Amino acid sequence: MSPSAVTAMAALLLTGGAGFIGSHTLLVLLQAGHELVVLDNFANSSPIALDRVLELASPDAAGRLHRVEGDVRSAADLDRAFTAPAKPIAGVVHFAGLKAVRESVEQPLLYWDVNLGGTRALAEAMGRHHCDLVVFSSTATVYGEPQEFPLTEAMPTPPVHPYAQTKLAAEQMLASLVRSEGWRVASLRYFNPVGAHPSGRIGEDPSGIPNNLFPYITQVAAGRLEHLRVFGEDYPTRDGSGERDYIHVMDLAEAHVATLDHLMQQPGPTQITLNLGTGEARSVLEVVHAFEQATDIAIPYEVLPRRAGDVPKLEASPESAAKLLGWRASRSLEQMCRDGWAWQQANPNGYR
Ligand code: NAD
Ligand code: UDP
């Protein structure tokens, strides 16, 4: 990707830049020529991810990456991040947050604190450092349990758990700063990010037994887990198993670059909300079969009752992002499987 004329002149801050989506986005932004600050407390990631990103990026990238270990809720840590580069920070991508739905039900205050309190602390720091541009990591779970597909951004957002509620509240808080302060804000509602960089050097590193479908499947393939548990085959879907809109993490990373380029070119107050998905939902059983085809490894599974809190289906309309950014996901389900498997094979214990 060639450097953008506008953003290559700027330094950017990634909160949570060592995480799954953050590390892939960091790589693409470094490759595009930008100067980056990563603020991360490594609550759910490893500093090794940043070393790996630098290995994959061009040799001069190390001089363009500033690492700040700290908490997004801390004004002092944020001030260190904003003053790490010589240039002013022109924009922020705010990945830092907690994302486990069940944990959010059990510990709601933690989620309000990190996800909303962290966004508020970040916004205050942006004010102190005269930065008015932010891309926010939101989620398709803000749509609750929708009945109509594909989902467009104007559809109702009745979130059904604290995780989604904190993300929607943070979206709304940032939108109010567009009105009061003239900020440029993008809320990106990710569907189901999966896969890994094709090198197998960076990827998703869940701790303990994975909760999500893709890492669970790759660990079954690796022989670390005996079989997959398919949660429900009585949904009103094509084959009865749950359907999701899986998107390759590299497509998602590229969407962030397109979003930053778009926002940087806006002369005044701007608020955009975009779904990021492929537009094509796949069932659990379709994913299992696609993985088997892509890797030639059988995935034994048993069908269990539905998992509490799961919705039958999520599927994005990707049209707003296509129209506004000229961006569409291009990587296939087969690539998601192949790249996720390459990462698992090369890193059986993740970054540990
Ligand atoms: P991740 O856990 O891999 O990355 C989040 C990063 O934020 C981690 O590096 C973590 O250490 C850091 N972090 C957490 N709390 C922090 C704090 N208080 N201060 C500083 N850093 C902190 O998750 P991800 O999958 O890369 O997700 C990134 C963002 O996208 C999150 O906000 C998440 O809610 C959102 N999102 C993720 C998904 C998904 O399925 N992966 C879907 C929709 C939205
Ligand atoms: N799923 C499953 N077995 C697992 C994990 C997930 O059958 O071990 C199903 C889950 O019920 C949902 C889909 O796979 O229909 C995606 O779940 P995941 O946890 O990956 O993402 P979610 O959409 O819940 O955030």
Side-chain angles (χ1 to χ4, degrees), residues 192 211-214 216 228-231 242-244 246 284 307 310-311:
N192 285 58
N211 191 43
N212 296 113
L213 180 64
F214 257 77
Y216 205 103
L228 175 70
R229 298 165 304 164
V230 174
F231 297 130
E243 290 181 16
R244 295 289 183 276
Y246 298 95
V284 174
R307 181 172 69 175
D310 276 357
V311 300

Side-chain angles (χ1 to χ4, degrees), residues 15-23 39-46 70-73 94-100 114-115 118 136-141 163 167 188-193 204-205 212 252:
T15 72
F20 173 42
I21 305 167
S23 57
L39 171 68
D40 203 303
N41 67 356
F42 304 112
N44 194 39
S45 58
S46 164
D71 197 301
V72 74
R73 292 165 293 178
H94 182 33
F95 294 107
L98 301 177
K99 60 172 182 176
V114 175
N115 290 357
F136 174 63
S137 292
S138 189
T139 162
T141 60
Y163 168 62
K167 287 290 184 178
L188 303 181
R189 294 176 175 166
Y190 311 151
F191 279 63
N192 285 58
E204 187 171 16
D205 183 16
N212 296 113
L252 207 54

Side-chain angles (χ1 to χ4, degrees), residues 18-24 42-50 52 99 193-196 200-212 214-216 218-219 224 249 340 343-344 346-352:
F20 173 42
I21 305 167
S23 57
H24 290 80
F42 304 112
N44 194 39
S45 58
S46 164
I48 298 170
L50 301 177
R52 298 274 185 94
K99 60 172 182 176
V194 299
R201 295 296 287 161
I202 54 174
E204 187 171 16
D205 183 16
S207 51
I209 295 177
N211 191 43
N212 296 113
F214 257 77
Y216 205 103
T218 59
Q219 294 201 11
R224 292 167 66 87
V249 65
W343 155 252
Q344 166 69 40
N347 306 272
N349 299 307
Y351 292 115
R352 286 168 293 275

